[in-house]
Coordinates of all heavy atoms in Angstrom, one line a residue:
Chain T
R60 N -5.7 66.6 -33.5 CA -4.4 66.1 -33.7 C -3.9 65.5 -32.4 O -3.1 64.5 -32.5 CB -3.5 67.1 -34.2 CG -3.8 67.5 -35.7 CD -2.6 68.1 -36.3 NE -3.0 68.6 -37.6 CZ -3.5 69.8 -37.8 NH1 -3.6 70.7 -36.8 NH2 -4.0 70.3 -39.0
G61 N -4.3 66.0 -31.3 CA -3.8 65.5 -30.0 C -4.0 64.0 -29.9 O -3.1 63.2 -29.4
Q62 N -5.2 63.5 -30.3 CA -5.5 62.1 -30.2 C -4.6 61.3 -31.1 O -4.3 60.1 -30.8 CB -6.9 61.9 -30.7 CG -7.8 61.1 -29.7 CD -9.2 61.0 -30.1 OE1 -9.6 60.7 -31.3 NE2 -10.0 61.2 -29.2
L63 N -4.1 61.8 -32.2 CA -3.3 61.1 -33.2 C -2.0 60.7 -32.6 O -1.4 59.8 -32.9 CB -3.1 61.9 -34.5 CG -4.3 62.0 -35.4 CD1 -3.9 62.7 -36.6 CD2 -4.7 60.6 -35.8
I64 N -1.5 61.7 -31.7 CA -0.1 61.5 -31.2 C 0.0 60.5 -30.1 O 1.0 59.9 -29.9 CB 0.4 62.9 -30.8 CG1 0.5 63.8 -32.1 CG2 1.8 62.9 -30.2 CD1 0.7 65.3 -31.8
Q65 N -1.2 60.3 -29.4 CA -1.2 59.5 -28.2 C -0.6 58.1 -28.5 O 0.3 57.7 -27.8 CB -2.6 59.4 -27.7 CG -3.0 60.6 -26.9 CD -4.4 60.5 -26.4 OE1 -5.0 59.4 -26.3 NE2 -5.0 61.6 -26.1
P66 N -1.0 57.3 -29.5 CA -0.5 56.0 -29.7 C 1.0 56.0 -29.9 O 1.8 55.2 -29.5 CB -1.2 55.4 -30.8 CG -2.5 56.2 -30.9 CD -2.2 57.5 -30.4
L67 N 1.4 57.1 -30.7 CA 2.9 57.1 -31.1 C 3.7 57.4 -29.8 O 4.8 56.8 -29.6 CB 3.1 58.2 -32.1 CG 2.4 58.0 -33.5 CD1 2.6 59.1 -34.4 CD2 3.1 56.7 -34.1
A68 N 3.2 58.4 -29.0 CA 3.9 58.7 -27.8 C 4.0 57.4 -26.9 O 5.0 57.2 -26.3 CB 3.2 59.8 -27.1
F69 N 2.9 56.7 -26.9 CA 2.8 55.5 -26.0 C 3.9 54.5 -26.5 O 4.6 53.9 -25.7 CB 1.4 54.9 -26.1 CG 1.2 53.7 -25.3 CD1 1.0 53.8 -23.9 CD2 1.2 52.4 -25.9 CE1 0.8 52.6 -23.2 CE2 1.0 51.3 -25.1 CZ 0.8 51.4 -23.8
F70 N 3.9 54.3 -27.9 CA 4.9 53.4 -28.4 C 6.3 53.8 -28.0 O 7.1 52.9 -27.6 CB 4.7 53.4 -29.9 CG 5.7 52.6 -30.7 CD1 5.5 51.2 -30.7 CD2 6.8 53.1 -31.4 CE1 6.4 50.4 -31.4 CE2 7.6 52.3 -32.2 CZ 7.4 50.9 -32.1
A71 N 6.7 55.1 -28.1 CA 8.0 55.5 -27.8 C 8.3 55.3 -26.3 O 9.4 54.9 -25.9 CB 8.2 57.0 -28.1
L72 N 7.2 55.6 -25.5 CA 7.4 55.4 -24.1 C 7.6 54.0 -23.6 O 8.6 53.7 -22.8 CB 6.1 55.9 -23.4 CG 6.2 56.3 -21.9 CD1 7.2 57.4 -21.7 CD2 4.8 56.7 -21.4
V73 N 6.9 53.1 -24.2 CA 7.1 51.7 -23.9 C 8.4 51.2 -24.3 O 9.2 50.5 -23.6 CB 6.0 50.8 -24.5 CG1 6.3 49.3 -24.4 CG2 4.7 51.1 -24.0
T74 N 8.9 51.6 -25.5 CA 10.2 51.3 -26.0 C 11.4 51.8 -25.0 O 12.3 51.1 -24.7 CB 10.5 51.9 -27.4 OG1 9.4 51.6 -28.2 CG2 11.7 51.2 -28.0
M75 N 11.1 53.0 -24.5 CA 12.1 53.6 -23.6 C 12.1 52.9 -22.3 O 13.2 52.9 -21.6 CB 11.6 55.1 -23.3 CG 12.7 55.9 -22.6 SD 12.0 57.5 -22.2 CE 11.2 57.0 -20.7
L76 N 11.1 52.2 -21.9 CA 11.1 51.5 -20.6 C 12.1 50.4 -20.5 O 12.7 50.1 -19.5 CB 9.7 50.9 -20.3 CG 8.5 51.9 -20.1 CD1 7.2 51.1 -19.9 CD2 8.8 52.8 -19.0
F77 N 12.4 49.8 -21.7 CA 13.2 48.6 -21.7 C 14.7 48.9 -21.4 O 15.3 48.2 -20.5 CB 13.1 47.8 -23.0 CG 11.8 47.0 -23.0 CD1 10.6 47.6 -23.4 CD2 11.7 45.7 -22.5 CE1 9.4 47.0 -23.4 CE2 10.5 45.0 -22.5 CZ 9.4 45.6 -23.0
P78 N 15.3 49.9 -22.0 CA 16.7 50.2 -21.6 C 16.8 50.5 -20.1 O 17.7 50.1 -19.4 CB 17.0 51.5 -22.4 CG 16.1 51.4 -23.6 CD 14.8 50.8 -23.1
L79 N 15.7 51.2 -19.6 CA 15.7 51.6 -18.2 C 15.6 50.3 -17.3 O 16.1 50.2 -16.2 CB 14.6 52.6 -17.8 CG 14.8 53.9 -18.5 CD1 13.6 54.8 -18.3 CD2 16.1 54.6 -18.0
A80 N 14.7 49.4 -17.7 CA 14.4 48.2 -16.9 C 15.4 47.1 -17.1 O 15.7 46.4 -16.2 CB 13.0 47.7 -17.3
V81 N 16.0 47.0 -18.3 CA 16.9 45.8 -18.5 C 18.3 46.3 -18.4 O 19.0 45.8 -17.5 CB 16.6 45.3 -20.0 CG1 17.6 44.1 -20.2 CG2 15.2 44.8 -20.1
S82 N 18.8 47.1 -19.3 CA 20.2 47.5 -19.3 C 20.4 48.5 -20.4 O 19.8 48.4 -21.5 CB 21.1 46.2 -19.5 OG 22.1 46.5 -20.4
P83 N 21.3 49.5 -20.2 CA 21.6 50.4 -21.3 C 22.6 49.9 -22.3 O 22.8 50.5 -23.4 CB 22.2 51.6 -20.6 CG 22.8 51.0 -19.3 CD 22.1 49.8 -19.0
E84 N 23.1 48.6 -22.1 CA 24.0 48.1 -23.1 C 23.3 47.8 -24.4 O 22.4 47.0 -24.5 CB 24.6 46.7 -22.6 CG 25.7 46.9 -21.6 CD 25.9 45.5 -20.9 OE1 26.3 44.5 -21.7 OE2 25.7 45.3 -19.8
L85 N 23.8 48.4 -25.5 CA 23.2 48.2 -26.8 C 23.2 46.8 -27.3 O 22.2 46.3 -27.9 CB 23.8 49.1 -27.8 CG 23.4 50.6 -27.7 CD1 24.1 51.4 -28.8 CD2 22.0 50.8 -27.7
S86 N 24.2 46.1 -26.9 CA 24.3 44.7 -27.4 C 23.2 43.8 -26.8 O 22.6 43.0 -27.5 CB 25.7 44.0 -27.0 OG 25.8 44.0 -25.6
R87 N 22.9 44.1 -25.5 CA 21.8 43.3 -24.9 C 20.4 43.8 -25.5 O 19.5 43.0 -25.7 CB 21.8 43.5 -23.4 CG 22.8 42.6 -22.7 CD 22.8 42.7 -21.3 NE 21.6 42.1 -20.7 CZ 21.2 42.2 -19.4 NH1 22.0 42.8 -18.6 NH2 20.2 41.6 -19.0
L88 N 20.3 45.1 -25.7 CA 19.1 45.6 -26.2 C 18.8 45.2 -27.6 O 17.6 44.9 -27.9 CB 19.1 47.2 -26.1 CG 19.0 47.8 -24.8 CD1 19.3 49.3 -24.8 CD2 17.7 47.5 -24.1
R89 N 19.9 45.0 -28.4 CA 19.7 44.6 -29.8 C 19.0 43.2 -29.8 O 18.2 42.9 -30.6 CB 21.0 44.6 -30.5 CG 20.9 44.6 -32.0 CD 22.3 44.6 -32.6 NE 23.0 45.8 -32.3 CZ 24.2 45.8 -31.7 NH1 24.8 44.7 -31.5 NH2 24.8 46.9 -31.4
A90 N 19.4 42.4 -28.8 CA 18.9 41.0 -28.8 C 17.4 41.0 -28.6 O 16.7 40.1 -29.1 CB 19.6 40.2 -27.8
I91 N 16.9 41.9 -27.7 CA 15.5 41.9 -27.4 C 14.7 42.9 -28.2 O 13.5 42.9 -28.2 CB 15.2 42.2 -25.9 CG1 15.8 43.5 -25.5 CG2 15.8 41.1 -25.1 CD1 15.2 44.0 -24.2
A92 N 15.4 43.6 -29.2 CA 14.7 44.7 -29.9 C 13.4 44.2 -30.7 O 12.4 44.9 -30.6 CB 15.7 45.3 -30.9
P93 N 13.4 43.0 -31.4 CA 12.3 42.6 -32.1 C 11.0 42.5 -31.2 O 10.0 42.9 -31.5 CB 12.6 41.2 -32.8 CG 14.1 41.2 -32.7 CD 14.6 42.0 -31.6
G94 N 11.3 41.8 -30.0 CA 10.2 41.6 -29.1 C 9.7 42.9 -28.5 O 8.5 43.2 -28.5
V95 N 10.6 43.8 -28.2 CA 10.2 45.1 -27.6 C 9.4 45.8 -28.7 O 8.3 46.4 -28.4 CB 11.5 45.9 -27.3 CG1 11.1 47.3 -26.9 CG2 12.2 45.2 -26.2
L96 N 9.9 45.9 -29.9 CA 9.2 46.7 -30.9 C 7.7 46.1 -31.1 O 6.7 46.9 -31.2 CB 9.9 46.6 -32.3 CG 11.2 47.3 -32.3 CD1 11.8 47.1 -33.7 CD2 11.0 48.8 -32.1
W97 N 7.6 44.8 -31.2 CA 6.3 44.2 -31.5 C 5.3 44.3 -30.3 O 4.2 44.5 -30.4 CB 6.4 42.8 -32.0 CG 6.7 42.8 -33.4 CD1 7.8 42.9 -34.1 CD2 5.7 43.0 -34.5 NE1 7.6 43.1 -35.4 CE2 6.3 43.2 -35.7 CE3 4.3 43.1 -34.4 CZ2 5.6 43.3 -36.9 CZ3 3.6 43.2 -35.6 CH2 4.2 43.4 -36.8
V98 N 5.9 44.1 -29.1 CA 5.0 44.2 -27.9 C 4.5 45.7 -27.8 O 3.3 46.0 -27.6 CB 5.7 43.8 -26.6 CG1 4.9 44.1 -25.4 CG2 5.9 42.3 -26.7
A99 N 5.5 46.6 -28.0 CA 5.0 48.1 -28.0 C 4.0 48.4 -29.1 O 3.0 49.1 -28.8 CB 6.3 48.9 -28.1
A100 N 4.2 47.8 -30.3 CA 3.3 48.1 -31.4 C 1.9 47.5 -31.0 O 0.9 48.1 -31.3 CB 3.8 47.6 -32.7
L101 N 1.9 46.3 -30.5 CA 0.7 45.6 -30.2 C -0.1 46.4 -29.2 O -1.3 46.6 -29.3 CB 1.0 44.2 -29.6 CG 0.0 43.1 -29.7 CD1 -0.4 42.9 -31.1 CD2 0.5 41.9 -29.0
L102 N 0.6 46.9 -28.1 CA -0.1 47.7 -27.1 C -0.5 49.0 -27.6 O -1.6 49.5 -27.3 CB 0.8 47.8 -25.9 CG 1.2 46.5 -25.1 CD1 2.2 46.8 -24.0 CD2 0.0 45.8 -24.7
A103 N 0.3 49.7 -28.4 CA -0.1 50.9 -28.9 C -1.3 50.9 -29.8 O -2.2 51.7 -29.7 CB 1.1 51.6 -29.7
S104 N -1.3 49.8 -30.7 CA -2.5 49.7 -31.6 C -3.7 49.4 -30.7 O -4.8 49.7 -31.1 CB -2.2 48.7 -32.7 OG -2.3 47.4 -32.2
L105 N -3.5 48.6 -29.7 CA -4.7 48.3 -28.8 C -5.2 49.5 -28.1 O -6.4 49.7 -28.1 CB -4.2 47.3 -27.7 CG -5.2 46.8 -26.8 CD1 -6.1 45.8 -27.6 CD2 -4.5 46.0 -25.6
L106 N -4.3 50.4 -27.8 CA -4.7 51.7 -27.1 C -5.5 52.5 -28.1 O -6.5 53.2 -27.7 CB -3.5 52.4 -26.7 CG -3.7 53.7 -25.8 CD1 -4.0 53.3 -24.4 CD2 -2.4 54.5 -25.8
A107 N -5.1 52.5 -29.3 CA -5.8 53.3 -30.3 C -7.1 52.8 -30.8 O -8.0 53.5 -31.3 CB -4.9 53.5 -31.6
L108 N -7.4 51.5 -30.5 CA -8.6 50.9 -30.9 C -9.9 51.5 -30.3 O -10.9 51.5 -30.9 CB -8.7 49.4 -30.5 CG -7.9 48.4 -31.5 CD1 -8.1 47.0 -31.0 CD2 -8.5 48.5 -32.8
E109 N -9.7 52.0 -29.1 CA -10.9 52.6 -28.5 C -11.5 53.7 -29.2 O -12.6 54.0 -29.2 CB -10.5 53.0 -27.0 CG -10.3 51.8 -26.1 CD -10.4 52.3 -24.7 OE1 -11.6 52.7 -24.3 OE2 -9.4 52.2 -24.0
F110 N -10.6 54.4 -30.0 CA -11.1 55.5 -30.8 C -11.8 55.1 -32.1 O -12.4 55.9 -32.8 CB -10.0 56.5 -31.1 CG -9.2 56.9 -30.0 CD1 -7.8 56.8 -29.9 CD2 -9.8 57.5 -28.9 CE1 -7.1 57.2 -28.8 CE2 -9.1 57.9 -27.8 CZ -7.7 57.8 -27.8
L111 N -11.6 53.8 -32.5 CA -12.0 53.4 -33.9 C -13.5 53.6 -34.1 O -13.8 54.3 -35.1 CB -11.6 51.9 -34.0 CG -12.0 51.2 -35.3 CD1 -11.5 52.0 -36.5 CD2 -11.4 49.9 -35.4
F112 N -14.3 53.1 -33.3 CA -15.8 53.3 -33.6 C -16.5 54.1 -32.6 O -17.7 54.4 -32.7 CB -16.5 51.8 -33.6 CG -16.0 50.9 -34.7 CD1 -15.6 49.7 -34.4 CD2 -15.9 51.4 -36.0 CE1 -15.1 48.8 -35.4 CE2 -15.5 50.5 -37.0 CZ -15.1 49.3 -36.7
R113 N -15.8 54.4 -31.4 CA -16.5 55.0 -30.3 C -17.3 56.3 -30.6 O -18.5 56.3 -30.4 CB -15.5 55.3 -29.2 CG -16.1 55.4 -27.8 CD -15.1 55.9 -26.8 NE -14.5 57.1 -27.2 CZ -13.5 57.6 -26.6 NH1 -13.0 57.0 -25.5 NH2 -12.9 58.8 -27.0
D114 N -16.6 57.2 -31.2 CA -17.3 58.5 -31.5 C -18.5 58.3 -32.5 O -19.6 58.9 -32.3 CB -16.3 59.5 -32.1 CG -15.3 60.0 -31.0 OD1 -15.6 59.6 -29.8 OD2 -14.3 60.5 -31.4
D115 N -18.3 57.5 -33.5 CA -19.3 57.2 -34.5 C -20.5 56.4 -33.8 O -21.6 56.6 -34.3 CB -18.8 56.5 -35.7 CG -18.0 57.4 -36.6 OD1 -18.0 58.6 -36.3 OD2 -17.4 56.9 -37.5
A116 N -20.2 55.6 -32.8 CA -21.4 55.0 -32.2 C -22.1 55.9 -31.3 O -23.4 55.9 -31.3 CB -20.8 53.8 -31.3
Y117 N -21.4 56.9 -30.7 CA -22.1 57.8 -29.8 C -23.1 58.7 -30.6 O -24.2 59.0 -30.3 CB -21.1 58.7 -29.0 CG -20.7 58.0 -27.7 CD1 -19.3 58.0 -27.4 CD2 -21.6 57.4 -26.9 CE1 -18.9 57.4 -26.2 CE2 -21.2 56.8 -25.7 CZ -19.8 56.8 -25.4 OH -19.4 56.2 -24.3
D118 N -22.5 59.3 -31.7 CA -23.3 60.3 -32.4 C -24.3 59.7 -33.5 O -24.9 60.4 -34.3 CB -22.4 61.4 -33.0 CG -21.5 60.9 -34.1 OD1 -21.8 59.7 -34.6 OD2 -20.6 61.5 -34.6
G119 N -24.3 58.4 -33.5 CA -25.3 57.7 -34.5 C -24.8 57.5 -35.9 O -25.5 57.0 -36.7
T120 N -23.5 57.9 -36.2 CA -23.1 57.7 -37.5 C -23.1 56.3 -37.9 O -23.5 55.9 -39.1 CB -21.6 58.2 -37.6 OG1 -21.6 59.6 -37.1 CG2 -21.1 58.3 -39.1
L121 N -22.7 55.3 -37.0 CA -22.7 53.9 -37.4 C -24.1 53.4 -37.7 O -24.3 52.7 -38.7 CB -22.2 53.1 -36.2 CG -20.7 53.0 -36.1 CD1 -20.3 52.0 -34.9 CD2 -20.0 52.6 -37.3
E122 N -25.1 53.9 -37.0 CA -26.4 53.5 -37.3 C -26.8 54.0 -38.7 O -27.4 53.2 -39.4 CB -27.4 54.1 -36.2 CG -28.7 53.4 -36.1 CD -29.3 53.6 -34.8 OE1 -28.8 54.3 -33.9 OE2 -30.4 52.9 -34.6
Q123 N -26.4 55.2 -39.0 CA -26.7 55.8 -40.4 C -26.1 54.9 -41.4 O -26.6 54.6 -42.4 CB -26.2 57.2 -40.5 CG -27.0 58.2 -39.6 CD -28.5 58.2 -40.0 OE1 -28.8 58.1 -41.1 NE2 -29.3 58.3 -38.9
Y124 N -24.8 54.5 -41.1 CA -24.1 53.7 -42.1 C -24.9 52.4 -42.3 O -25.0 51.9 -43.4 CB -22.7 53.3 -41.5 CG -21.6 54.3 -41.7 CD1 -21.9 55.6 -42.4 CD2 -20.3 54.1 -41.3 CE1 -21.0 56.5 -42.5 CE2 -19.3 55.1 -41.5 CZ -19.7 56.3 -42.1 OH -18.7 57.2 -42.3
A125 N -25.4 51.7 -41.2 CA -26.0 50.5 -41.3 C -27.3 50.6 -42.0 O -27.8 49.7 -42.7 CB -26.3 49.9 -39.9
L126 N -28.0 51.8 -41.9 CA -29.3 52.0 -42.6 C -29.1 52.5 -44.0 O -30.1 52.7 -44.7 CB -30.2 53.0 -41.7 CG -30.6 52.5 -40.3 CD1 -31.2 53.6 -39.5 CD2 -31.5 51.3 -40.5
S127 N -27.9 52.9 -44.3 CA -27.7 53.7 -45.6 C -28.1 52.8 -46.8 O -28.3 53.3 -47.9 CB -26.3 54.1 -45.7 OG -25.4 53.1 -45.9

Side-chain angles (χ1 to χ4, degrees):
Chain T
R60 288 202 191 87
Q62 228 174 48
L63 286 182
I64 297 170
Q65 281 175 22
L67 294 177
F69 182 79
F70 178 73
L72 196 60
V73 170
T74 316
M75 191 189 81
L76 296 178
F77 284 87
L79 296 176
V81 181
S82 131
E84 282 170 60
L85 286 182
S86 60
R87 283 183 68 186
L88 289 172
R89 197 178 301 125
I91 60 166
V95 172
L96 291 177
W97 274 92
V98 171
L101 203 61
L102 294 179
S104 77
L105 187 68
L106 188 75
L108 277 182
E109 286 200 63
F110 307 125
L111 177 50
F112 297 130
R113 201 186 54 189
D114 293 346
D115 283 353
Y117 275 135
D118 67 12
T120 308
L121 277 186
E122 199 156 3
Q123 294 300 321
Y124 278 2
L126 295 173
S127 69

